[in-house]
């Protein structure tokens, strides 16, 4: 069997389990899907990092990232946030490529931009999310359109 047929499917499900790490919380380097349900992640760097064409789904969790982004979508993959809270000192959600970010009923608490989009090819959909931040709002390239139905 060749690697082109391998696809990661990982589900992390718990009633408020806590993951404490001194680097990155959860990293997806594959084309597969990581689903995280009801988990608290405390990370000193990235809370969640999606580095490839895979997908990360966060349901009802809390992400705390002390020195880097709460959620980082580095490539063409997708991140879906459902009813989750992201706490960070830097950017709440950072999209660096033409990937997709969907946030439904989430909350981002940060000292900087809650959403920072660095590529006009990214697809961003915000539905009933809430930002609590000290600096900035949503940063995105001028040629980009963001669908926002929340506050």
């Amino acid at each position: 069997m060749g690697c082109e047929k391998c696809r990661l499917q990982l589900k992390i499900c718990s009633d408020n389990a806590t993951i404490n790490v001194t680097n990155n919380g959860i990293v997806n380097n594959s084309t597969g899907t990581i689903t995280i349900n009801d988990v608290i992640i405390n990370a000193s760097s990235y809370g969640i990092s999606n580095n490839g064409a895979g997908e990360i789904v966060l349901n009802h969790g809390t992400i705390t990232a002390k020195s880097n982004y709460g959620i980082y979508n580095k490539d063409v993959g997708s991140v879906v946030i459902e009813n989750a809270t992201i706490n960070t000192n830097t950017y709440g959600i950072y999209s660096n490529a033409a990937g997709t970010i969907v946030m439904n009923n989430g909350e981002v608490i940060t000292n900087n931009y809650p959403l920072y989009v660095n590529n006009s090819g990214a697809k961003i959909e915000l539905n009933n999310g809430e930002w609590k931040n000290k600096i900035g709002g949503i940063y995105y390239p001028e040629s980009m359109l963001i669908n926002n139905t929340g506050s």
Side-chain angles (χ1 to χ4, degrees):
M1 178 188 322
C3 286
E4 64 275 3
K5 294 183 181 182
C6 299
R7 184 173 163 103
L8 170 72
Q9 296 292 323
L10 173 65
K11 289 190 178 186
I12 302 170
C13 305
S14 179
D15 292 327
N16 293 315
T18 301
I19 299 170
N20 295 306
V21 294
T22 57
N23 199 353
N24 299 324
I26 294 177
V27 177
N28 187 2
N29 288 318
S30 77
T31 59
T33 300
I34 296 177
T35 302
I36 306 156
N37 296 322
D38 295 315
V39 173
I40 298 167
I41 299 172
N42 297 309
S44 62
S45 190
Y46 300 109
I48 293 175
S49 184
N50 195 27
N51 296 341
E55 178 180 48
I56 294 180
V57 179
L58 173 62
N59 297 305
H60 302 280
T62 300
I63 306 297
T64 300
K66 294 182 177 120
S67 67
N68 244 318
Y69 318 133
I71 295 178
Y72 181 40
N73 201 31
K74 183 177 180 180
D75 208 333
V76 296
S78 63
V79 175
V80 178
I81 304 156
E82 301 277 351
N83 295 306
T85 300
I86 301 163
N87 294 297
T88 180
N89 289 325
T90 61
Y91 304 114
I93 303 167
Y94 189 100
S95 179
N96 199 42
T100 300
I101 295 176
V102 177
M103 182 173 184
N104 296 312
N105 300 311
E107 178 180 54
V108 178
I109 303 164
T110 179
N111 290 329
N112 211 318
Y113 288 96
L115 175 63
Y116 192 99
V117 181
N118 203 28
N119 187 306
S120 61
K123 296 166 191 74
I124 310 296
E125 183 178 332
L126 308 172
N127 300 302
N128 298 316
E130 183 176 357
W131 310 122
K132 294 179 181 175
N133 57 300
K134 294 181 180 177
I135 299 171
I138 298 174
Y139 175 87
Y140 58 96
E142 284 184 28
S143 60
M144 184 177 182
L145 175 64
I146 292 180
N147 179 16
N148 181 15
T149 62
S151 57

